[in-house]
Amino acid sequence: MAVMAIAAVGLWFFFGQPTFDEIKDLGSGLGEYLGDLNFTDFDFGDFTNVLDDIPGDLGGLFDNDPFAGQGPGDGDMNGSHWPNKGKGLTLELQMALDDSWLGEFAMAVDDWETGTPDALTLVRKDVAIDHTCRVVDGVMKVCNGNYGDSGWLGINEILQNTVDKEIQSSVAKMNEYYLLNADRYKRQFTMCHEIGHGFGLAHTDENFNNADLGNCLDYTRTPKNNLHPDETNFELLASMYGEVEDRRSRRRFLRRTSSFNDQLLKQYNDAIQELEHVQYDTKQPPFQWRVLREYSGGSHLVRKLNDEYTLEVHILHAIPFSDDAE
């Protein structure tokens, strides 16, 4: 049974990690084909002792699995993290939103900062409205704009180094093509969700059709059930950054070195323009982008910009929600 399971996983990777529906369709077609065959015409040989040469310890088989650590509930996005000293994360959030998003932003920031265990100190800075959401070194920037019929509600972009996946900057965008006249639940869920990715958090669950977990990093068809982070998210943050110990030093930022320059910014902007404004098939993503994970309601992609930096992006797809008809 163990060998069969290993073979099945190997085939799943070989065929490009197909979804359950794709596997079901493939199985249906294969069944029809096999039903027309006469197996008495085949000589399969002797399978006696065919497994004798397989080593007893298969524990190292998946040691180099490129998708290890990227599943829901694993905490960070396979290691993505802001620089810190294990005593909590202090991070500046630049609010480049227009006035229509002030309520959602204020609630999301308060929710994320006041969690237990306490791992975050979020310093809000109001800046000029920036619908282009130009990336800023060392901070998370949050913006809104009409980004067109691109197929996504929200997106989070993380620029990180290639050595240890230390985050250099993050950008969270709300797409008003879909969200301008959406109800407050969809808007709040999207805001909380994209800011959460900006800390380096993965999803807590990626199934839209199971019971809601009550936190905004759980995919849902009923956003009003998942408007805020919860203890699960806070515990993961504490495991990544440690807990805040000295509240007198809560607003001290960790000094960092930066390689931001005009060439890097051009590479970043070109890559984002290619990804955000084109309806794409994730089985064949835009040039130089690689799909890390794909789900019915979202995508996780990465692109290497140069030898120092990669750009990692979470996309929340514009899927029908259960309350759209209300």
Side-chain angles (χ1 to χ4, degrees):
M1 290 298 291
V3 173
M4 293 176 63
I6 292 168
V9 173
L11 287 171
W12 182 70
F13 275 103
F14 178 79
F15 286 110
Q17 304 97 51
T19 64
F20 175 77
D21 289 337
E22 291 171 336
I23 294 173
K24 186 169 63 175
D25 292 341
L26 177 63
S28 176
L30 183 61
E32 294 176 1
Y33 171 75
L34 293 177
D36 296 331
L37 294 179
N38 183 358
F39 286 95
T40 61
D41 295 335
F42 294 88
D43 180 8
F44 294 103
D46 185 3
F47 279 83
T48 305
N49 301 323
V50 70
L51 300 181
D52 285 355
D53 293 329
I54 296 179
D57 181 11
L58 298 174
L61 181 61
F62 299 108
D63 286 350
N64 297 317
D65 179 4
F67 293 89
Q70 294 175 357
D74 289 329
D76 59 32
M77 297 187 301
N78 197 28
S80 300
H81 63 281
W82 291 88
N84 71 100
K85 293 184 177 180
K87 297 181 179 180
L89 171 66
T90 298
L91 182 65
E92 179 179 308
L93 268 64
Q94 291 194 356
M95 198 214 61
L97 302 151
D98 63 37
D99 290 348
S100 67
W101 283 91
L102 296 184
E104 291 88 346
F105 178 78
M107 178 179 289
V109 172
D110 185 65
D111 283 345
W112 281 111
E113 188 177 24
T114 57
T116 302
D118 182 9
L120 298 177
T121 299
L122 304 179
V123 181
R124 168 176 169 169
K125 182 178 181 180
D126 295 348
V127 298
I129 296 171
D130 181 9
H131 298 309
T132 64
C133 216
R134 181 179 174 85
V135 62
V136 178
D137 184 23
V139 308
M140 187 193 307
K141 191 172 185 178
V142 185
C143 315
N144 67 291
N146 186 337
Y147 302 107
D149 188 14
S150 55
W152 55 269
L153 292 177
I155 193 168
N156 187 279
E157 308 157 8
I158 283 183
L159 181 67
Q160 58 193 6
N161 67 42
T162 57
V163 177
D164 58 6
K165 302 195 73 172
E166 187 173 277
I167 300 173
Q168 192 75 29
S169 67
S170 175
V171 164
K173 297 177 182 176
M174 315 298 130
N175 189 355
E176 292 200 322
Y177 182 89
Y178 306 100
L179 292 172
L180 178 63
N181 296 312
D183 63 44
R184 63 186 181 91
Y185 302 122
K186 298 181 184 67
R187 289 164 62 96
Q188 190 64 52
F189 169 75
T190 305
M191 177 69 72
C192 181
H193 187 96
E194 300 308 336
I195 288 179
H197 282 318
F199 302 130
L201 289 174
H203 299 119
T204 49
D205 183 77
E206 292 165 353
N207 186 339
F208 277 84
N209 300 312
N210 60 0
D212 291 330
L213 300 179
N215 71 74
C216 63
L217 283 171
D218 167 34
Y219 274 156
T220 179
R221 291 190 181 277
T222 312
K224 64 183 178 181
N225 293 340
N226 288 359
L227 298 179
H228 314 279
D230 68 4
E231 185 176 354
T232 302
N233 306 129
F234 300 135
E235 288 177 348
L236 292 173
L237 287 169
S239 72
M240 294 165 62
Y241 299 113
E243 296 185 44
V244 176
E245 295 180 357
D246 185 358
R247 293 187 174 273
R248 294 172 298 177
S249 62
R250 283 175 66 95
R251 293 182 181 268
R252 295 178 186 171
F253 294 90
L254 187 63
R255 293 184 180 273
R256 70 182 71 219
T257 58
S258 172
S259 298
F260 261 43
N261 53 49
D262 291 341
Q263 181 181 5
L264 175 60
L265 289 174
K266 183 179 187 308
Q267 292 169 332
Y268 182 105
N269 291 330
D270 289 347
I272 289 300
Q273 286 289 324
E274 183 180 52
L275 183 67
E276 287 185 357
H277 299 285
V278 177
Q279 283 278 13
Y280 65 91
D281 179 358
T282 52
K283 294 184 182 300
Q284 188 174 3
F287 182 61
Q288 296 186 30
W289 284 93
R290 181 167 62 92
V291 177
L292 295 178
R293 293 182 68 82
E294 174 69 15
Y295 353 88
S296 61
S299 307
H300 183 191
L301 300 98
V302 66
R303 174 171 170 170
K304 184 176 180 180
L305 299 182
N306 54 45
D307 290 340
E308 293 185 73
Y309 289 104
T310 59
L311 183 56
E312 200 158 318
V313 174
H314 270 280
I315 300 173
L316 179 62
H317 294 176
I319 68 164
F321 290 108
S322 62
D323 55 355
D324 281 343
E326 294 181 5

